[in-house]
Amino acid sequence: MNKILIINMLGVAEVASIGIPALRYVKQQFPDAEVQVLSFAEGKRLFELAEPNCTVWGLENGQWPDDFFPALEAFLGLAEHIVGEGYKQIIQLDTAFLPCFLARFLKDAGEPVAQLFEYVGTGTVRWLQPPDPDRRIRQ
């Protein structure tokens, strides 16, 4: 079975307006795939309420430290878990630095990441080109 991961770690407004519609769209497009979500704190609970049959995992409050280096360590731990899961596609929806860093790290490690945004510094993100259609999951 194909496994797809959606990363949406921003606040509940972004989860409600971007994450949940994206999850539903991906599930509709790939009905035979196992779609999982990586989210944060209340966003996790919102995903679980909206789509109770979907596996939602991630960080709780306090597991995403305010200090940069401990936060980086937490996100590298997530990367290790993600690589071990063997996802066929990883879809990164966030614009915050650490989720973008995580997606870039995974992509550089050879994981099949479709990243919509890239953090370019000082709170600025830029759109990336759409994912290569040859790397899409084939049904």
Side-chain angles (χ1 to χ4, degrees), residues 41-95:
E42 293 303 317
K44 284 175 48 184
R45 283 172 276 298
L46 192 55
F47 273 114
E48 291 165 344
L49 287 170
E51 292 291 329
N53 295 325
C54 182
T55 301
V56 181
W57 61 280
L59 299 175
E60 293 294 340
N61 282 324
Q63 291 181 303
W64 185 340
D66 290 333
D67 294 331
F68 179 74
F69 289 110
L72 191 60
E73 188 175 317
F75 274 75
L76 290 175
L78 291 173
E80 185 176 355
H81 178 82
I82 290 167
V83 169
E85 287 289 321
Y87 293 105
K88 296 293 182 187
Q89 183 70 66
I90 300 167
I91 302 166
Q92 202 290 102
L93 300 176
D94 292 334
T95 58

Side-chain angles (χ1 to χ4, degrees), residues 4-118:
I4 301 171
L5 177 65
I6 296 174
I7 301 173
N8 191 200
M9 300 190 73
L10 294 179
V12 293
E14 288 83 2
V15 167
S17 63
I18 299 169
I20 291 170
L23 171 59
R24 291 178 175 159
Y25 177 79
V26 169
K27 287 175 71 172
Q28 180 184 36
Q29 294 299 305
F30 303 102
D32 296 329
E34 177 187 343
V35 182
Q36 297 184 5
V37 175
L38 169 62
S39 195
F40 174 67
E42 293 303 317
K44 284 175 48 184
R45 283 172 276 298
L46 192 55
F47 273 114
E48 291 165 344
L49 287 170
E51 292 291 329
N53 295 325
C54 182
T55 301
V56 181
W57 61 280
L59 299 175
E60 293 294 340
N61 282 324
Q63 291 181 303
W64 185 340
D66 290 333
D67 294 331
F68 179 74
F69 289 110
L72 191 60
E73 188 175 317
F75 274 75
L76 290 175
L78 291 173
E80 185 176 355
H81 178 82
I82 290 167
V83 169
E85 287 289 321
Y87 293 105
K88 296 293 182 187
Q89 183 70 66
I90 300 167
I91 302 166
Q92 202 290 102
L93 300 176
D94 292 334
T95 58
F97 172 75
L98 282 170
C100 286
F101 169 83
L102 173 63
R104 186 73 224 189
F105 179 86
L106 291 167
K107 189 172 189 171
D108 289 348
E111 294 299 303
V113 175
Q115 187 172 357
L116 304 178
F117 306 99
E118 181 175 61

